């Protein structure tokens, strides 16, 4: 479901689409508040909120002290009383002091209060590697949040989806963890409608249709996966599915694609063990076992803390490694 | 805010020259890696200590080898003042195998167990509870070791600071908290991050936890030393935790690439008058502790040292990919 009322578009990068999405929602709903460390005049570490303070003022674009737990906890209280806060965490790896508030409270407020309280809050954070910085500045720990019932987890891979998914997340009555692939914040542009619109949460997108093998991925890994698929074209007919929302998973699209191809590869940059690939594979096993023609391959990061520059290129899945995974599955 | 005259200083000429040398080495290292970062030789993020040298130098001079430290994302100065080798530090910044973390930690995670340096830390306030633990260990072993945690004014807003100082006060721990008040938490000024009652004295945050409080000119290395010495002595003799605010200024951005839009006009120039690398050499020369020629010689030696450190980093090997798994668990080999 995409709701557009205007055909006018702007050519935006992904990070500009974040800003445009925030601006659109702030303009249409006074209860939307952006808050976080240096989100105001500085416009955020990655400039995602640049200019919003000029447009909406300090009351709605709030610079906070360095206090992740306090920022997110405060947002929960605001959300419970009718506001729609969008706290920013500067890097995903800085979220852990706030992990308790997200997991213990944001995710459970509705169920604890039998729906009397809701928590319409979106925690935004850039995630993932490729910027030559270690550990906290590069990690990809979406599985932590997917594991918590009561949270929704979204990772866009295109400017169009970014704006639409962010709008949907902000309008959603429940807490959403919105992870932004900073590696591709400025990697390419896309025509994005100027007016607000939504891209529905919980729906995967088939980026490339194919009949030999399904490759499931999301976020920054979508591009190298598409590149691998193109490199193999003529030889292997690859279907690429961008999951977009990791919780709730679009099981229907995953299963449908697998039933068509009977073979699958899952690509993510998070460490392999406990990563979301396992969940995708389990879903396939439960729903489409008899369609399976080969073991399902995982092309992922390794089970180590996110390494520094010199090892980063080995760590992140890139087209050649993804191609190898696809070939293994197809040639089984 | 205390100046050096408030303390009973026991600094010999040799000590004072050493303080100057430490500060000058930090400045040289920082200015050099700043250039290498601008040349894209050093990747990632770089948070420079330029302007705050007197704090690391003064505090570390008050410590013994047996003491323990935790540092911050702005940690190069602490490492140098603690005696870590600039060549292995540079190698770490370059992501090389010869670095302190074998190229896995980078600028923000330099650690050295032998030096009692528990690590720089990419997480604001992340080191404070760890220093608390080092202090518990010192207390349980009936030693007179102390643990020192460096952190910025911004860290005072984090829960980790309050939880740690509550523990330290309750358990009477030999913990010394050094607040490096450089006027900014990242890009946001002090007054937007703390209530009015704290602005004139950030050590107020130590009050309910029973920490001994001191507030000192963080651009004056001898004043910092005096305050640190008192706090360390208190910890050594069972007097419990201390919180020392060092009032200073960060001459560079939060990280390299920061536009620094937030500085008031004239603010930088005003603080520049107090730059410890201008005032302290002048003072020691005026007082006849060191001659201009000797200082020039010292500077030349330091320039050579840092040049060689960079050369060492450049020439060192990158870690082998298999290195990623080394040291992850104790049975996996690990660092010697």
């Amino acid at each position: 479901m995409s709701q557009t009322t205007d055909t006018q578009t702007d050519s935006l990068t992904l990070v500009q689409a974040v800003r445009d999405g925030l601006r659109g929602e702030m303009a249409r709903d006074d209860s939307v508040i952006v808050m976080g460390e240096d989100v105001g005049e500085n416009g955020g570490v990655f400039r995602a909120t640049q200019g919003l303070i000029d447009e909406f003022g300090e009351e709605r674009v709030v610079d906070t002290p360095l206090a992740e737990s306090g920022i997110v906890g405060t947002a929960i209280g605001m959300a419970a009383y009718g506001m729609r806060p969008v706290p920013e965490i500067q890097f995903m790896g800085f979220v852990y002091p706030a992990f308790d508030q997200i997991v213990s409270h944001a995710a459970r407020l509705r169920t604890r209060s039998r729906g009397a309280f809701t928590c319409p809050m979106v925690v935004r954070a850039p995630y993932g590697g490729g910027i030559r910085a270690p550990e906290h500045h590069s990690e990809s720990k979406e599985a932590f949040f997917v594991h918590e019932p009561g949270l929704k987890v979204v990772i866009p891979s295109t400017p169009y989806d970014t704006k639409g998914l962010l709008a949907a997340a902000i309008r959603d009555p429940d807490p959403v963890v919105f992870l932004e692939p900073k590696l591709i914040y400025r990697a390419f542009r896309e025509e994005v409608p100027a007016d607000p619109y939504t891209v529905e949460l919980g729906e995967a997108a088939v980026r490339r249709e194919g009949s030999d093998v399904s490759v499931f991925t999301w976020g920054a890994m979508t591009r190298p996966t598409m590149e691998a698929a193109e490199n193999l074209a003529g030889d292997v007919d690859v279907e690429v599915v961008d999951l977009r929302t990791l919780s709730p998973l679009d099981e229907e699209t995953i299963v449908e694609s697998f039933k068509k191809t009977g073979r699958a590869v899952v690509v993510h940059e998070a460490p392999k063990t406990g990563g979301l690939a396992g969940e995708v594979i389990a879903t396939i096993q439960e729903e489409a076992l008899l369609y399976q023609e080969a073991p399902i391959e995982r092309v992922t990061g390794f089970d180590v803390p996110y390494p520094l520059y010199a090892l980063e290129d080995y760590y992140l899945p890139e087209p050649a490694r993804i191609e190898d995974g696809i070939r293994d599955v197809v040639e089984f | 805010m205390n100046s050096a005259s408030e303390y009973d200083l026991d600094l010999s000429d040799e000590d004072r020259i050493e303080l100057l040398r430490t500060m000058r080495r930090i400045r040289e290292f920082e200015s050099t890696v700043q250039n290498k970062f601008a040349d894209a030789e050093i990747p990632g993020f770089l948070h420079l200590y330029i302007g705050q040298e007197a704090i690391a130098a003064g505090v570390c001079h008050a410590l013994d080898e047996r003491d323990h430290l935790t540092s911050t994302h702005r940690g190069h100065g602490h490492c140098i003042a603690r005696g870590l080798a600039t060549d292995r530090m540079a190698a770490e910044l370059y992501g090389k195998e010869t670095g302190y973390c074998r190229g896995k930690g980078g600028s923000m995670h330099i650690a050295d167990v032998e030096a009692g340096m528990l690590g720089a830390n990419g997480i604001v306030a992340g080191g404070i509870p760890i220093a608390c633990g080092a202090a518990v260990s010192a207390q349980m072993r009936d030693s007179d070791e102390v643990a020192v945690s460096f952190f910025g004014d911004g860290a005072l807003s984090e829960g980790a600071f309050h939880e740690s100082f509550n523990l330290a006060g309750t358990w009477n721990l030999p913990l010394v908290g050094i607040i490096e008040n450089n006027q900014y938490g990242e890009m946001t000024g002090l007054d937007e991050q703390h209530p009015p009652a704290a602005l004139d004295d950030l050590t107020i945050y130590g009050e309910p936890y029973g920490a001994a409080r001191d507030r000192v000119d963080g651009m004056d290395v001898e004043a910092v030393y005096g305050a640190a010495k008192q706090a360390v002595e208190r910890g050594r003799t069972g007097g419990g935790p201390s919180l020392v605010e060092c009032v200073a200024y960060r001459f560079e951005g939060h990280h390299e690439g920061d536009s620094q839009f937030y500085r008031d006009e004239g603010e930088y120039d005003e603080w520049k008058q107090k730059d410890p690398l201008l005032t302290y050499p002048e003072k020691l020369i005026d007082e006849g502790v060191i001659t201009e020629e000797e200082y020039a010689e010292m500077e030349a030696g330091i320039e050579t040292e840092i040049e060689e450190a960079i050369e060492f980093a450049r020439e060192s090997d990158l870690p082998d990919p298999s290195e990623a798994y080394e040291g992850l668990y104790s049975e996996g080999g690990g660092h010697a």
Side-chain angles (χ1 to χ4, degrees):
Chain A
M1 178 191 71
S2 290
Q3 306 165 340
T4 52
T5 55
D6 198 312
T7 50
Q8 195 202 323
T9 62
D10 299 310
S11 176
L12 300 183
T13 61
L14 198 147
V15 72
Q16 288 172 330
V18 171
R19 191 183 311 143
D20 202 41
L22 288 170
R23 184 186 289 122
E25 294 310 298
M26 292 181 85
R28 66 181 286 283
D29 181 353
D30 286 345
S31 67
V32 179
I33 308 283
V34 166
M35 56 199 287
E37 297 161 9
D38 292 311
V39 297
E41 210 180 331
N42 186 55
V45 223
F46 290 98
R47 303 289 177 269
T49 57
Q50 194 166 46
L52 295 180
I53 195 167
D54 302 325
E55 210 168 323
F56 300 102
E58 288 179 5
E59 298 265 296
R60 296 185 61 201
V61 184
V62 183
D63 274 326
T64 66
L66 310 186
E68 297 75 18
S69 177
I71 294 165
V72 173
T74 301
I76 294 172
M78 290 162 69
Y81 285 102
M83 301 174 95
R84 289 191 182 258
V86 187
E88 175 184 287
I89 299 293
Q90 292 185 322
F91 289 84
M92 188 190 191
F94 295 179
V95 81
Y96 308 127
F99 194 67
D100 172 56
Q101 290 294 331
I102 297 173
V103 167
S104 305
H105 306 298
R108 302 175 193 180
L109 195 61
R110 179 187 284 274
T111 182
R112 266 182 206 150
S113 66
R114 296 189 182 181
F117 282 111
T118 61
C119 190
M121 166 181 84
V122 180
V123 180
R124 289 182 44 245
Y127 88 97
I131 61 161
R132 299 171 80 67
E135 290 198 35
H136 312 99
H137 292 77
S138 291
E139 55 201 29
S140 176
K141 296 295 175 69
E142 62 274 15
F144 287 168
F145 297 104
V146 171
H147 192 61
E148 183 58 36
L151 293 177
K152 294 179 179 177
V153 181
V154 175
I155 302 187
S157 73
T158 68
Y160 179 89
D161 278 2
T162 297
K163 181 173 175 181
L165 287 166
L166 183 55
I170 291 171
R171 295 179 203 183
D172 196 274
D174 293 314
V176 178
V177 175
F178 193 87
L179 301 173
E180 299 162 6
K182 61 177 172 287
L183 176 62
I184 54 169
Y185 258 159
R186 295 176 171 84
F188 61 101
R189 289 175 178 276
E190 191 177 37
E191 288 300 318
V192 173
D195 280 352
Y197 60 93
T198 58
V199 171
E200 194 157 334
L201 305 186
E203 287 188 359
V206 177
R207 296 289 177 204
R208 185 182 195 283
E209 291 200 16
S211 56
D212 291 338
V213 55
S214 304
V215 185
F216 302 103
T217 190
W218 54 89
M221 290 297 102
T222 306
R223 274 162 58 93
T225 301
M226 289 294 283
E227 198 180 322
E230 294 306 327
N231 292 345
L232 292 169
D235 195 4
V236 185
D237 193 17
V238 181
E239 177 145 309
V240 177
V241 180
D242 173 3
L243 297 182
R244 300 199 290 193
T245 297
L246 303 182
S247 179
L249 264 184
D250 182 355
E251 295 185 2
E252 197 181 317
T253 301
I254 294 169
V255 170
E256 196 182 313
S257 175
F258 187 76
K259 282 183 174 173
K260 183 171 72 174
T261 61
R263 296 168 196 267
V265 175
V266 189
V267 181
H268 63 61
E269 60 179 285
K272 188 179 203 173
T273 302
L276 210 61
E279 194 58 37
V280 173
I281 294 167
T283 299
I284 292 170
Q285 301 280 309
E286 285 166 353
E287 304 296 329
L289 180 66
L290 298 180
Y291 293 81
Q292 185 166 344
E293 293 180 32
I296 299 171
E297 187 104 1
R298 289 181 280 181
V299 180
T300 67
F302 298 98
D303 290 344
V304 298
Y306 193 92
L308 195 55
Y309 352 112
L311 300 172
E312 182 176 56
D313 295 341
Y314 296 95
Y315 180 89
L316 283 176
E318 33 76 51
R321 187 140 70 93
I322 298 168
E323 285 169 45
D324 285 348
I326 293 171
R327 282 193 190 282
D328 282 351
V329 165
V330 172
E331 290 165 9
F332 174 74
Chain B
M1 184 172 72
N2 289 344
S3 60
S5 61
E6 317 279 338
Y7 302 98
D8 177 24
L9 298 175
D10 54 355
L11 293 167
S12 66
D13 283 0
E14 217 169 47
D15 288 329
R16 301 175 85 191
I17 292 171
E18 201 46 44
L19 287 172
L20 175 60
R21 186 194 310 280
T22 301
M23 292 199 295
R24 188 65 188 81
R25 287 177 67 226
I26 297 171
R27 178 68 57 94
E28 188 66 22
F29 184 86
E30 295 294 68
S31 306
T32 306
V33 297
Q34 182 175 34
N35 289 332
K36 302 305 167 199
F37 184 84
D39 294 345
E41 263 190 48
I42 296 174
F45 289 94
L46 196 64
H47 306 82
L48 295 175
Y49 199 64
I50 293 175
Q52 298 171 230
E53 292 90 343
I55 304 173
V59 170
C60 289
H61 195 73
L63 299 178
D64 284 343
E65 267 182 29
R66 60 188 191 280
D67 298 322
H68 313 276
L69 278 86
T70 66
S71 171
T72 68
H73 56 285
R74 201 177 304 290
H76 306 159
H78 311 136
C79 292
I80 291 174
R82 188 56 182 170
L84 271 67
T86 47
D87 53 358
R88 290 185 65 196
M89 287 178 60
E92 191 55 44
L93 266 59
Y94 276 73
K96 296 296 184 71
E97 210 267 336
T98 52
Y100 272 104
C101 317
R102 293 197 177 177
K104 287 192 281 193
S107 164
M108 277 181 280
H109 300 101
I110 296 175
D112 183 26
V113 175
E114 282 168 26
M117 167 52 87
L118 283 155
N121 200 313
I123 298 299
V124 172
I128 312 173
I130 299 169
C132 212
V136 171
S137 160
Q139 190 184 56
M140 291 182 82
R141 287 181 285 107
D142 284 329
S143 78
D144 65 350
E145 301 157 11
V146 300
V148 174
S149 186
F150 290 96
F151 45 88
D153 44 279
L156 296 167
S157 313
E158 294 278 5
F161 163 79
H162 294 274
E163 295 178 30
S164 306
F165 268 79
N166 181 48
L167 282 180
T170 304
W171 295 345
N172 200 43
L173 297 178
L175 176 69
V176 177
I178 303 292
I179 307 169
E180 302 199 46
N181 176 3
N182 64 13
Q183 311 303 323
Y184 293 99
E186 302 198 4
M187 294 88 169
T188 300
L190 214 55
D191 57 346
E192 287 183 63
Q193 306 216 20
H194 297 284
L199 293 178
D200 292 336
D201 184 358
L202 291 172
T203 68
I204 195 172
Y205 287 117
E207 183 69 21
Y209 307 125
R213 298 160 53 189
D214 205 354
R215 190 164 186 269
V216 70
D217 181 354
M219 307 297 265
D220 178 346
V221 67
E222 295 188 4
V224 171
Y225 167 73
K229 184 168 163 269
Q230 260 182 20
V232 167
E233 199 50 36
R234 193 175 292 118
R236 283 210 204 293
T237 52
S242 301
L243 193 56
V244 178
E245 178 185 0
C246 302
V247 182
Y249 193 70
R250 191 185 73 204
F251 286 124
E252 302 300 325
H254 165 57
H255 57 74
E256 285 302 286
D258 171 5
S259 70
Q260 305 176 53
F261 63 88
Y262 42 79
R263 295 194 203 276
D264 287 337
E265 205 181 329
E267 177 186 298
Y268 183 97
D269 295 336
E270 208 172 297
W271 279 97
K272 195 69 192 166
Q273 307 296 316
K274 303 178 75 178
D275 183 345
L277 269 313
L278 296 176
T279 57
Y280 200 54
E282 202 176 280
K283 180 183 166 84
L284 295 195
I285 290 165
D286 281 355
E287 294 181 14
V289 177
I290 187 172
T291 64
E292 273 186 51
E293 293 70 33
E294 284 165 342
Y295 183 52
E297 205 174 304
M298 179 199 286
E299 285 193 295
I302 290 169
E303 281 162 24
T304 306
E305 175 201 342
I306 303 302
E307 267 170 38
E308 286 174 0
I310 296 294
E311 220 35 61
F312 174 78
R314 283 176 172 157
E315 284 170 8
S316 292
D317 291 332
L318 289 167
D320 186 81
S322 66
E323 172 69 29
Y325 285 104
E326 292 292 316
L328 195 56
Y329 297 105
S330 45
E331 70 269 30
H335 295 177

